Amino acid sequence: MLGSAPYYVRRSRPIGPYQSRSPVDIAWRLRWPYLISTILAVGMIICILVIGALEVASLAQSTNKDIFGNTSATGAGIWCSVFFSIAAVIILLINYMPSVRLWAQIALITTIIAACFAVILIGLDAKAVQDGKEYLPSLFEKPKILSAQLAFACIELVLCLAFIIVYIIVHVSARRHLRRIPRVFMR
C-alpha cells in the first residue's frame, strides 16, 4: 500500500473562474454587441415603466363594463410587465456573465416569452380602445390612455423582435467564425 501510486483522475479542463474557454464561447464573446443589447434592454425598461404607469392610470379611470367591455380592467399592463422586466434584466446580465452564449440563450427564451405577452397586451388594449371609441368617443380619457399603452406595447414588441434578430445575427456570425478555425484547435 505504501509503494503504490495514488489514484489520480486528470480533468480535461480546470474548474473555477480561471478555466479555459471553448472556441465557441470565445467566438460569442468576440461577436456579442454589448452596446446594442444594453440599449435594447434600457429601452425595454423605459417601456415597462411607462406601460405600468399607464395601466395604473387606466385602472384609476372609470371601468364601466357596458362602455369599455370586459377587457378594460384586466391589469394586463402590470402582469405583462413582469415578463418584460425579466427579459430586460437578463439581457443586461449578459454584459457581466462569463458565458455570453449561455446567457444569450436564456435571454432569447425570456425575450420570446416577453414578445408573446406583448402580443397579448396589444390584443387586450386594442379591444378596449375599440370598445371605448364606439361609445361616446370624446367623453372618456380611458381610450386615450389605453391608446398610449397600446403604442408602448408595440414598441416593446419591436424591441423584443430586435433582440431576437441580434441573437440570430451573432449566432450565424459565431458559426462562420468557427468554420474558419482549423479543426486542430477544436475540442
Side-chain angles (χ1 to χ4, degrees):
M1 188 131 140
L2 293 174
S4 64
Y7 180 70
Y8 175 72
V9 177
R10 183 176 174 263
R11 294 192 172 124
S12 61
R13 294 164 91 191
I15 297 175
Y18 301 106
Q19 66 184 0
S20 62
R21 304 236 190 278
S22 70
V24 176
D25 289 336
I26 293 170
W28 271 83
R29 184 166 281 288
L30 291 174
R31 301 279 188 273
W32 188 255
Y34 293 99
L35 182 64
I36 293 172
S37 64
T38 302
I39 290 171
L40 288 174
V42 168
M44 289 173 76
I45 290 171
I46 290 170
C47 285
I48 291 165
L49 294 174
V50 172
I51 287 171
L54 289 171
E55 185 66 31
V56 170
S58 170
L59 291 174
Q61 294 290 320
S62 67
T63 56
N64 189 350
K65 289 186 180 179
D66 295 333
I67 296 174
F68 294 110
N70 289 331
T71 61
S72 66
T74 58
I78 295 171
W79 53 264
C80 285
S81 292
V82 170
F83 295 98
F84 300 154
S85 61
I86 292 171
V89 167
I90 291 178
I91 291 171
L92 282 176
L93 283 177
I94 293 173
N95 296 339
Y96 302 106
M97 294 298 162
S99 178
V100 172
R101 182 176 59 122
L102 173 67
W103 284 94
Q105 288 174 346
I106 294 169
L108 175 70
I109 293 168
T110 58
T111 304
I112 290 171
I113 293 169
C116 292
F117 278 96
V119 170
I120 291 170
L121 183 60
I122 289 169
L124 290 173
D125 284 345
K127 175 73 171 126
V129 168
Q130 181 183 12
D131 290 344
K133 287 191 176 187
E134 285 179 2
Y135 307 99
L136 308 169
S138 63
L139 188 60
F140 295 105
E141 291 292 321
K142 188 164 180 129
K144 295 175 187 174
I145 294 171
L146 290 175
S147 297
Q149 186 178 10
L150 177 63
F152 279 99
C154 291
I155 293 170
E156 185 77 29
L157 178 63
V158 168
L159 291 172
C160 289
L161 294 176
F163 178 79
I164 294 169
I165 290 170
V166 165
Y167 178 87
I168 291 170
I169 290 171
V170 171
H171 181 73
V172 170
S173 175
R175 290 185 98 184
R176 285 185 183 163
H177 176 73
L178 288 175
R179 287 185 187 152
R180 286 185 266 153
I181 296 176
R183 292 284 182 198
V184 176
F185 299 112
M186 298 282 290
R187 287 187 184 185

